[in-house]
Amino acid sequence: MATKALPPGSTIGILGGGQLGRMTAMAAARLGYRSVVYSPEAHSIAGDVATAHISGAYDDATALARFADAVDVVTYEFENVPEATVAECARRRPVRPGIKPIHFAQHRLREKEFFRKSGLGTADYQQIAGEGDIARATALPGILKTSTEGYDGKGQIRVHSREDLFAAWDKLGRRECILEALVDFECEISAIVARGLDGEARCFPIGRNEHRDGILRATAVPSGLPSAVEEQAKDYGLRLAESLDLVGLVALEMFVTRDGRVLANEMAPRPHNSGHWTIDACATSQFEQLVRTVCGLPLGAVDLLASSRMINLIGDEANDWARYLAEPTARLHLYGKGKARPGRKMGHVTYVMPRK
């Protein structure tokens, strides 16, 4: 595969048709690139702003070949694209990032083991795949999570005792799970790292996150944390990108404990909800940075231009669009989704406060 830069006018293929693909396509268009979106749906909000949308199942080799032949490079907007789909595309075009990041991100136990091997601290954890594992469980109290297919708080149950653990494992279908010990944390943070074809990597300013019902509610930058904590978080993010041999973006969510330790929780090898503030308050947005990495362009600056607080608009909250538009410090982003549902991310608003 060629490793030289793809010039403006080239076409980026995006696997997945959600809001992350939408904002990536918008960033690509601003730099003069075309985008083709591939998703199983006949219509997608990413396809609305792209050059073209190709509909097909993720195991449809014919449709995937048509998609890959229409683009110059491929990326993905969420990490649950099947590995086989990425491999099929990679036979025809460069895929950035490739299979390795999603291989680990799709499986929580593999992910935690990879963190440890990469030198990242984590909470205590153990595999729960049978009754014998439950009998030997020591990471209690904890959270039992399915090893695969969990997202936004789904597929996980808090447990306090061995009896709770057995009932939770039974409720989750007696499938392979990971038991993660509860962490007494002060806050949750995230580092988003971009790494280019030449190995250069840059970490965006650390965001301080707030979650509600397993869904990210808000991200504030600056984080307000001690510089030593922020440097540890950035170091973890950069180590992870290097270990993955990443070309693209990776977001690493972490806990900061009350005694100042940083513990890796989970990663996402694509743009991340906690990085949406970069569109309005950073020299380069995370979406533009993804376009730069996959096309082999120089990385953009990650200087913080303004203090910001990004808030997700969940369900009916997006109906208050007129109020947000009337607020001078608010920057409204709606995703063009049809029907609002409880728990559905309909958009976000970023409050921007120029730095003094």
Side-chain angles (χ1 to χ4, degrees):
M1 300 290 185
T3 57
K4 64 181 181 180
L6 293 172
S10 302
T11 302
I12 301 168
I14 302 171
L15 292 167
Q19 62 261 25
L20 300 179
R22 177 186 178 94
M23 289 182 273
T24 299
M26 292 167 72
R30 191 174 70 80
L31 293 181
Y33 291 89
R34 299 179 176 87
S35 298
V36 175
V37 171
Y38 185 97
S39 74
E41 301 81 20
H43 167 264
S44 73
I45 57 172
D48 284 343
V49 300
T51 307
H53 176 273
I54 295 176
S55 178
Y58 284 126
D59 60 358
D60 186 336
T62 300
L64 286 170
R66 183 159 54 92
F67 163 70
D69 288 345
V71 304
D72 298 295
V73 67
V74 175
T75 191
Y76 41 80
E77 64 124 31
F78 74 120
E79 64 274 20
N80 285 323
V81 175
E83 285 187 40
T85 301
V86 177
E88 185 68 30
C89 292
R91 279 192 273 272
R92 295 172 177 270
R93 292 291 184 270
V95 179
R96 299 170 183 157
I99 293 175
K100 186 176 181 179
I102 63 171
H103 174 75
F104 291 109
Q106 287 181 2
H107 193 280
R108 287 187 168 114
L109 190 61
R110 283 199 300 255
E111 180 182 58
K112 283 290 196 297
E113 291 169 347
F114 187 75
F115 287 166
R116 290 273 180 97
K117 289 177 182 176
S118 301
L120 281 58
T122 73
D124 290 337
Y125 67 88
Q126 59 197 106
Q127 182 186 45
I128 301 294
E131 294 184 16
D133 294 327
I134 294 174
R136 293 185 293 270
T138 57
L140 291 167
I143 300 177
L144 184 69
K145 303 178 180 180
T146 56
S147 288
T148 59
E149 298 177 350
Y151 186 75
D152 279 350
K154 298 177 177 66
Q156 54 185 268
I157 302 173
R158 182 171 294 205
V159 295
H160 297 277
S161 66
R162 214 171 298 280
E163 292 73 22
D164 287 348
L165 178 56
F166 184 86
W169 182 62
D170 191 57
K171 185 175 182 180
L172 292 174
R174 299 192 171 210
R175 58 195 292 187
E176 183 193 44
C177 294
I178 181 173
L179 176 64
E180 300 177 4
L182 290 179
V183 176
D184 183 22
F185 62 88
E186 176 187 343
C187 65
E188 297 173 84
I189 60 174
S190 56
I192 299 174
V193 173
R195 186 171 182 270
L197 274 170
D198 60 359
E200 182 187 0
R202 292 183 184 176
C203 184
F204 285 92
I206 300 300
R208 183 170 182 146
N209 302 328
E210 300 169 23
H211 287 82
R212 185 186 302 169
D213 300 324
I215 301 174
L216 182 70
R217 179 60 183 171
T219 297
V221 181
S223 71
L225 292 167
S227 59
V229 171
E230 289 203 340
E231 288 306 311
Q232 179 70 81
K234 288 181 179 180
D235 178 65
Y236 275 9
L238 291 166
R239 278 198 216 181
L240 178 61
E242 181 74 20
S243 295
L244 290 169
D245 196 21
L246 185 88
V247 177
L249 290 188
V250 64
L252 178 63
E253 294 182 274
M254 293 162 278
F255 298 118
V256 178
T257 66
R258 297 193 188 280
D259 58 0
R261 291 177 298 135
V262 177
L263 301 176
N265 182 31
E266 59 186 34
M267 69 172 176
R270 37 81 173 169
H272 195 259
N273 196 167
S274 66
H276 290 351
W277 64 270
T278 60
I279 300 172
D280 300 299
C282 195
T284 307
S285 79
Q286 64 169 342
F287 300 101
E288 178 181 329
Q289 202 76 298
L290 176 61
V291 172
R292 285 172 176 253
T293 59
V294 301
C295 293
L297 306 179
L299 297 182
V302 291
D303 301 276
L304 183 65
L305 302 181
S307 300
S308 66
R309 179 175 171 81
M310 185 282 303
I311 298 175
N312 273 325
L313 301 179
I314 309 295
D316 290 337
E317 292 173 349
N319 294 337
D320 284 338
W321 55 267
R323 175 167 67 85
Y324 297 122
L325 289 174
E327 296 184 26
T329 63
R331 305 291 183 267
L332 179 64
H333 300 261
L334 297 177
Y335 304 150
K337 295 183 179 180
K339 187 176 181 181
R341 297 192 303 267
R344 191 181 195 194
K345 296 172 184 174
M346 302 298 293
H348 70 270
V349 60
T350 301
Y351 291 92
V352 178
M353 290 74 72
R355 305 185 81 183
K356 297 179 180 178

